[in-house]
Amino acid sequence: MQLRLTLLALLSISPALAQGPDELIRGLCHKEGCDEFRLLAAERVTEGADGTLMRTHIQSFLASPAGRQSLGEAMGYAYCSRTRPAILAQRGDQTRAYMIAPFSTEPSWEQRKSQNFVALYFTICHGAEVGRQAVQNTRETALRLRYSVPAEAGQFVDLARAEDMLGTARPATPPPEPKSQLLAPLPPQTIPDTRSLAPAGEGRPED
């Protein structure tokens, strides 16, 4: 619950646009319902030594037996990288990155808390279908896409700005038995500017 509340603390919520349920990606399910989102746009900002910084526009929902509740729209970032994958949120002069660990050694109940971050990241960087696959099996999806992340657990990192994610790539040992087929990243899209928000959620590359 703390992971979800930490990200929500970075949000600015405003009314969301209507959309169809078939366009939604589902993240973490919890006692209040299931977190869902739709990627409205993903635009390349700049290239780093080991990835690409993407500016994103997300629409968030809470689905429960009572129906689907709109939580608003969110402007944020993702760092599409096979060695330092991350989802970033901004509020004022604060930037916080969640560093994803697809080969985490944490207990499954701890890994479950990051499902929203996993769903968002893989959807932004590889497309909606891969995002759905990653929620179901993060490790196998990352292996298939040749990720090489040594971290044993996801973690939050505070940054001065999103561009601070750029830097020199760190060497890492490739994961065991990766499959050869790679999926293309989501193509850039352009949308009108909206009020700044960040994705709702808790626990759920670019060459």
Side-chain angles (χ1 to χ4, degrees):
M1 188 57 153
Q2 184 60 40
L3 192 63
R4 186 166 186 263
L5 293 176
T6 301
L7 185 60
L8 285 171
L10 297 180
L11 307 188
S12 299
I13 300 300
S14 69
L17 303 174
Q19 66 165 42
D22 58 324
E23 299 173 297
L24 300 178
I25 305 295
R26 176 160 291 188
L28 177 69
C29 290
H30 40 86
K31 64 180 181 180
E32 292 89 0
C34 293
D35 297 325
E36 296 180 335
F37 70 90
R38 176 191 181 195
L39 179 63
L40 300 178
E43 177 185 11
R44 296 169 190 254
V45 176
T46 187
E47 298 289 330
D50 59 351
T52 300
L53 184 66
M54 306 284 287
R55 181 180 294 111
T56 64
H57 185 191
I58 304 294
Q59 193 170 21
S60 301
F61 298 85
L62 176 65
S64 70
R68 180 171 286 107
Q69 175 188 356
S70 171
L71 299 179
E73 295 179 19
M75 301 299 294
Y77 293 88
Y79 191 60
C80 296
S81 168
R82 287 183 170 85
T83 55
R84 294 189 299 131
I87 286 291
L88 298 86
Q90 285 187 313
R91 186 180 184 184
D93 59 358
Q94 181 183 13
T95 300
R96 171 160 282 197
Y98 182 75
M99 307 299 296
I100 294 170
F103 307 111
S104 172
T105 58
E106 294 180 297
S108 58
W109 59 270
E110 279 289 351
Q111 294 181 40
R112 182 177 175 275
K113 295 178 181 179
S114 66
Q115 279 183 304
N116 285 345
F117 301 106
V118 167
L120 282 168
Y121 173 83
F122 281 95
T123 296
I124 292 163
C125 298
H126 297 286
E129 183 56 34
V130 179
R132 294 186 181 97
Q133 294 169 7
V135 171
Q136 298 301 316
N137 194 326
T138 306
R139 179 182 176 83
E140 290 303 317
T141 302
L143 281 171
R144 176 162 54 85
L145 295 173
R146 292 183 175 176
Y147 273 72
S148 180
V149 183
E152 296 181 354
Q155 62 176 327
F156 285 104
V157 176
D158 291 321
L159 306 170
R161 56 180 189 152
E163 287 76 7
D164 289 346
M165 281 299 304
L166 308 180
T168 303
R170 296 177 298 182
T173 302
E177 301 180 359
K179 296 183 181 180
S180 59
Q181 184 179 5
L182 301 182
L183 298 180
L186 190 70
Q189 303 177 45
T190 303
I191 59 166
D193 291 336
T194 61
R195 286 168 287 182
S196 178
L197 302 165
E202 167 194 1
R204 285 341 117 269
E206 179 78 17
D207 291 324

